[in-house]
Amino acid sequence: HHKATSGMASMTEELEKAQATHDAILRLVCALPDPPHLGASKCQPVSYDCFRALASPHASSRALLSDVQSGWSDCAKAFQEDNPDEVAGACGELRPKLERLACAAHKAARSDLEEHLSGNATCAWASVLENDAKAVWISGGSGGHRGVKSRDRCIESVALDVIAVAAREAKALEKSARHLATKPGYPPIGDCKRACAKLRKAAGLWESLSHAGDRTAIALLDALPENCGMTFEKRPPEATRACCAGAALLASASAQRCAIASALAQNKLPDSLAAKLCGGVAEKLEAARNASRDGAPKHHARLDRAAGNGAASDAALFRGLRAYFCAREAKAKEEHGVCVAWYRDAEARLAPAIVSTSGAGADRPRDLDALKKALQVARAAADHENSRIYYETVPAPKELRAPAGVKTMGPEAPLCLIADAEPVPLSAPTADDEALARQLAASFEEEGSLSGPPPPAYEAAAPAALSDEELARRLHEELNG
């Protein structure tokens, strides 16, 4: 009888240990990067009064201009309070209106803009991606360059305003998602479904900034003459497609982490699919670094170092988690030698110092230690069993074949491109009968906004096994239900 009781006790202990490891993994997966700031140190847009004369002949333009101006005052309040939900909301309201105005300025006759723009169109912003939180970039309006047309200065400044607003909205969504995913207490995860939706929206914003088309805010900057105040080198990272493409991948990797945590917490994730999803996260994190480093090396060098180190650390962590799930799967299939090799691989992935000094490991040191200890115990047990009973060869690390990564929770379709904005006219003010008749007609017209085609579906890479593919699809549907 005594033996049976001690057997029960050790089984309960085993289950408790397994649960503790499971919870530690959940907390590490949910420890999303925390943006250090939302750029509140400097937010000074163009004075949009400069368009007043050009908007005066058209009711729709006058209405848009006053919407933009009230949108800016809402943003200014939100920036001061520095609350991520307020910042995301205010920027999200203003962004499409500002894009319509940028589109209008781009399409307006050059001569009208040259003659009727008033004031000095400059803006000054702190970057939300740079290492130096106080680094301010100023559009070329006050650059003192002779011969720069006021039209070009104006387009440059308005395009930079669009970029600054979109980047702040995306960062604020990321910060808000971080708060949602890492609520303290038990269960060890927060509201991953809402966090995931915010991160996919943030990824969509970064992706729309990085879009290769010729009608985005960055394309407007590219089309300006060389002597305009800001050369490519002097642009902030968020005004380069490569850095925005990297930021989109980082936000999408975080969204995928929320999906993994949500499924793990409900015990709905088989080890085989968990391994593929963890591999997908690591691949996105590495692709993000490559995107900015290869596409805009000088801007990449100015990116926030803590964020870069965090992404490198988390990529190693997720490769370690992939190996852990592969080891569990091998054990279930009674591939004892392979199981030992995967546990060794998992330990090796988590060993580098960066894993504990940056990213989720630095954020959740006790959970990282708990995971490392659990791996050590599991590897020793598997090793012991194999060397005493099964005598299977343990493959060398380079012989291990990791399953192909599965990427899901991609960006929401690019939310807004300037091209899709409904244009409004900006032109020289005239006071003849024709213009008055146009004004009258315009004031009766409805302000209907055109909705574009449905967004393209995001395609996940096809995984090998059908059952995992089906599970991944259901997981995707559930999080977006």
Side-chain angles (χ1 to χ4, degrees), residues 37 39 41-42 124-138 168 236-238 302:
H37 65 93
S41 64
K42 188 76 175 174
W125 293 97
S127 168
V128 294
L129 294 179
E130 284 201 29
N131 196 44
D132 176 4
K134 299 214 165 40
V136 172
W137 29 285
I138 299 173
R168 273 167 173 67
E238 49 264 63
R302 304 206 309 254

Side-chain angles (χ1 to χ4, degrees), residues 39 153-154 166 203 297 303 347 435 479:
R153 279 184 183 170
C154 168
L303 292 177
E347 284 189 287
L479 273 148

